[in-house]
Amino acid sequence: MLQGLLDYFTTTGFALLTWKMLVMWVIAGVLLWLAIAKGFEPLLLVPIAFGALIANLPTRGVITAEMQPNGVYESATFKIEGQVLEPAPGTVPVAGEPVTQVVKVTRVEGGLYDFISQGIKLELFPPLIFLGVGALTDFGPLIAMPRTLFLGAAAQLGLFVTFMGAGLLGFTAKQAASIGIIGGADGPTAIFLTNKLAPELLGAVAVAAYSYMSLVPLIQPPIMRLLTTHKERRIRMKSLRSVSKLEKLIFAVAVMIICILLVPDASALIAMLMFGNFLRECAVTERLVKASQNEIINVLTIFLGTSVGITMAAESFLAPETLKIIVLGVIAFGFSTAGGVLMAKVMNVMSPNNPVNPLIGSAGVSAVPMAARVSHNEGQKYDSGNYLLMHAMGPNVAGVIGTAVAAGYFLSTLGH
Amino acid sequence: MHSLLITLSPRLLGALSEHPGLSESIPFQLTGLMVVFTALGLIWLVLTVVGQFFKRTAPAPVVPAPAVTAPVPVSAPDSLPPELIAVIAATVRVSLEGPYRIQAIVPVPAGQDWAHEGRRQIFASHQVR
């Protein structure tokens, strides 16, 4: 009887626990604490942390994952059993040409997240989240003050600087690009790019990106203060003009065409972003807009967050590379912030009669709308009557476009 | 065209080595930044042109006729009617849900309505990422 009990024990999960799993429980606990107690990006950190917890339990029927001989930790694979029907009905084999065969699938076997995670592997979730982001975003401030586009462009500096830094630390070019994109502060884009270029880093990159996005109010202000004078922080900008509905519709179509023509690899992201925005601005698809803004983005956020978290298995996450990614991520963020602020100062030199407050430059990183709020709050510290929020939304949404374009550049140069 | 691109820029189109040195990665980064600036610069150009068109065709703002009566001085808090103060206090109590003390009621300077409305919209919007 005792032997039977011992034999049964070997079938339980206790026998499969490792110390690395326990360390990951602590990391998941810290992420949950940041999200729940501190309110840092709870909509994403809670699913990611919970997914990480699941990934580090000896589960069955949730996800299939194993370390490959080449050192790549492969997850979310499922088995398909089938019968090859040969020759395929209605086809005549021709010498020298590939033979078409029909496979009759008899059984598909896999865990819950083997299937749900296909949303990331097949690049479905990030573009669909962008649909919701587009439906939630008002590009009016950007259209009213288009020169803030250059702030959004300059705030991509961190991506490219970090690319070089990651290369110096031994990462491959594809991995370096995936790490650099953290500086864009755009979670879906970071996941989109990393999944294509360096899927082995997906968990670490996603956690770093979302953690730093939630820490924008702590990371950015010191850099903003360092690079601006007291006088510059008090600059009041001219009120924005109102933007017509037709202008907003033209904007959505024009941005989509220009970006896709320049960087076709960013098509999925840009097309969905602008489609969502077009739905919003055309004002005749209210039900679709509401679905995009709520149900679609909420459901996908749950699946995306948990799918990312579930890649954080101890075997792949507890590696020196993760620590390097965390450090490189904050460097990317810092340079992106500095790039936006410095570009604003350059614009003021070139156009002294219509200056921009350099504090809005930092909003060029695309953590929407948190980065814009940080610019606004910093400005209010030095002039309580200075409302920078709407001005900062211009570079903020420009940053979303800029990061997607940068991701498209990395994909087109490294992804083929 | 394809071969021309490769000739012009061997580091593009997948030709960048797996571990690029500084001499490779710096031009790669500069090219990337230029691509981003070009894309957003083109959007800026389109927006500027379209914006100029809409500014010209927009109807002129309606200028209200000057008031015939004598100018009314800006209301100081002590000159506000008590009903208005009660309404403001009740709004603060209901919308902020806490014990707050109103220390001043100041008229909003003209020309900031747009910024205020934008601020309200942003703070009320979803926190999606």
Side-chain angles (χ1 to χ4, degrees), chain A residues 41 43 136 149 160 163-164 170 172-173 186 239-240 247 251 262 294 343 366 376 385 387 389-390 409 413, chain B residues 12 14 18-19 22 28-29 31-32 37 39-40 44 47 54 111-112 114 116 118-119 122 126-129:
Chain A
E41 292 281 340
L43 296 182
L136 283 164
L149 277 159
F160 296 102
F163 175 85
M164 185 172 67
T172 65
D186 194 319
S239 291
L240 299 172
E247 267 186 283
F251 169 82
L262 259 177
N294 297 290
M343 175 52 94
S366 48
H376 174 79
Y387 294 93
L389 190 69
M390 286 311 282
Y409 170 73
T413 52
Chain B
L12 297 183
E18 193 173 343
H19 289 279
L22 284 182
F28 176 78
Q29 295 165 76
T31 309
F37 269 92
L40 298 195
W44 167 79
L47 288 183
F54 276 94
Q112 294 194 345
W114 173 242
H116 281 163
R119 186 172 180 233
I122 295 303
H126 296 236
Q127 187 177 342
V128 292
R129 289 176 302 144

Side-chain angles (χ1 to χ4, degrees), chain A residues 40-72:
Chain A
F40 288 167
E41 292 281 340
L43 296 182
L44 271 153
L45 279 190
V46 168
I48 288 176
F50 214 87
L53 198 56
I54 295 170
N56 291 284
L57 285 167
T59 54
R60 290 195 189 109
V62 176
I63 189 160
T64 311
E66 58 186 354
M67 187 68 80
Q68 299 294 316
N70 60 1
V72 174

Side-chain angles (χ1 to χ4, degrees), chain A residues 177-262:
Chain A
S178 304
I179 296 166
I181 203 78
I182 295 171
D186 194 319
T189 306
I191 290 169
F192 185 81
L193 182 74
T194 306
N195 185 60
K196 284 204 168 177
L197 295 185
E200 68 277 9
L201 300 183
L202 184 60
V205 168
V207 167
Y210 281 114
S211 303
Y212 289 136
M213 279 164 63
S214 64
L215 294 175
V216 159
L218 297 178
I219 297 172
Q220 286 197 319
I223 300 168
M224 294 156 74
R225 282 181 224 133
L226 183 71
L227 296 175
T228 54
T229 64
H230 190 270
K231 187 182 171 190
E232 285 173 331
R233 290 174 221 143
R234 291 170 58 86
I235 290 175
R236 289 198 176 195
M237 297 172 65
K238 290 178 182 174
S239 291
L240 299 172
R241 69 179 175 88
S242 59
V243 176
S244 71
K245 175 180 159 185
L246 182 58
E247 267 186 283
K248 290 182 177 180
L249 293 177
I250 292 173
F251 169 82
V253 174
V255 168
M256 185 176 72
I257 292 172
I258 290 171
C259 290
I260 289 178
L261 286 178
L262 259 177

